[in-house]
Amino acid sequence: MSEGEGEGEAVISLRKVTAELGGRPVLRGIDLTVHRGEVVALLGANGSGKSTAVRSVIGQVPVTGGEIEIFGTPRRRFKHWARVGYVPQRTTAAGGVPATVTEVVSSGRLSRARFGILRKADRDAVTRALELVGMADRAKDSVDALSGGQHQRVLIARALAAEPELLIMDEPMAGVDLASQEILAATLRTQVAAGASVLLVLHELGPLEPLIDRAVVLRDGCVLHDGPPPQAVGLHALPGHDHVHPHTAAHSEPVRTGLLS
């Protein structure tokens, strides 16, 4: 993202958002903004509220307070979901139903298809998405025959098939082998170069680090840090390294800034 773009249009805006799961507060009044063309990483330990935050954006988790806007429209009134590609934490791509790689990726195109019928432009978009994630050679295979990394690449291709302006990805690198991580990083680089905005939940930056414009670190449902990725502000990224954030008191509980698990 070029300098100054961060002050442009907000494609995601959370203001003082609160949410509960099972009656337990998970988000405690967080502010989070992603501007057009920006790549924002959402970091934090397990239970810090990262996944709840992104799921609140797409409406999977009801909020108990605050405001969420997508492309400047209040989420409750937002209708243009074809502009948003969502990649959940890795799950069964076909939902337990036997399906080929192409069928799963094609389902991501239905939001743009007229009357649910895929035309040539739709099929071409599916093919491009498969090529982007390096899965074109497995197009006719059953998703049940794929490795974990290949499975994740199919989920990402499904999101890319709709040619979204905004990508929201919940731990896309979790449990994925290094080769697939590199492919996913290259895929994301292509999307960013084409102007996509991205919000990623990550445990560690890994191969995506060069793409990250900003990192938002959550702890106990609150924003602890919003700015350059931890490495860039002098925080260590070694797995298991505890580091007191410079804005917290010296006696505060240390924050894991590397392998955030």
Side-chain angles (χ1 to χ4, degrees):
M1 185 184 70
S2 62
E3 187 176 353
E5 277 188 29
E7 299 304 317
E9 175 193 354
V11 296
I12 297 175
S13 177
L14 280 68
R15 292 187 293 274
K16 307 301 180 190
V17 169
T18 59
E20 297 179 352
L21 288 177
R24 181 178 65 88
V26 179
L27 301 180
R28 305 171 185 264
I30 70 167
D31 295 321
L32 172 64
T33 303
V34 179
H35 296 96
R36 183 173 293 279
E38 196 172 33
V39 181
V40 176
L42 197 54
L43 307 173
N46 285 340
S48 61
K50 306 185 304 295
S51 292
T52 300
V54 297
R55 291 174 65 206
S56 73
V57 172
I58 63 170
Q60 287 188 352
V61 172
V63 299
T64 54
E67 299 177 351
I68 299 177
E69 292 185 350
I70 305 174
F71 293 105
T73 300
R75 193 205 59 198
R76 64 184 178 279
R77 298 207 312 264
F78 185 74
K79 298 289 192 290
H80 304 291
W81 290 104
R83 300 176 71 184
V84 181
Y86 174 60
V87 181
Q89 290 188 24
R90 197 168 82 223
T91 181
T92 303
V97 178
T100 66
V101 167
T102 295
E103 287 169 343
V104 170
V105 176
S106 295
S107 70
R109 185 70 187 182
L110 292 176
S111 60
R112 286 198 181 272
R114 295 183 62 188
F115 309 113
I117 299 171
L118 295 182
R119 291 171 167 75
K120 183 178 185 302
D122 302 308
R123 292 192 295 272
D124 288 347
V126 169
T127 300
R128 283 195 300 273
L130 284 169
E131 290 172 347
L132 271 171
V133 300
M135 291 294 290
D137 61 330
R138 304 296 300 271
K140 296 181 179 179
D141 292 357
S142 168
V143 291
D144 293 336
L146 304 180
S147 68
Q150 292 168 333
H151 203 271
Q152 188 70 345
R153 282 148 63 181
V154 170
L155 291 176
I156 291 172
R158 181 176 67 182
L160 296 180
E163 300 174 305
E165 300 169 50
L166 168 64
L167 270 172
I168 299 174
M169 310 172 84
D170 194 350
E171 297 193 27
M173 298 296 198
V176 174
D177 60 272
L178 184 59
S180 286
Q181 288 185 32
E182 296 289 355
I183 289 171
L184 298 183
T187 301
L188 207 54
R189 194 176 302 116
T190 300
Q191 298 305 300
V192 172
S197 311
V198 185
L199 176 61
L200 293 148
V201 172
L202 296 173
H203 264 337
E204 56 185 352
L205 300 181
L208 297 179
E209 182 179 356
L211 291 172
I212 305 300
D213 294 306
R214 246 175 60 237
V216 176
V217 181
L218 297 185
R219 184 171 71 179
D220 297 329
C222 299
V223 175
L224 186 69
H225 167 82
D226 186 343
Q231 291 87 332
V233 292
L235 303 185
H236 299 287
L238 296 175
H241 182 83
D242 289 335
H243 188 100
V244 177
H245 190 273
H247 296 136
T248 60
H251 61 272
S252 299
E253 177 189 350
V255 182
R256 291 183 181 274
T257 56
L259 193 63
L260 294 159
S261 56

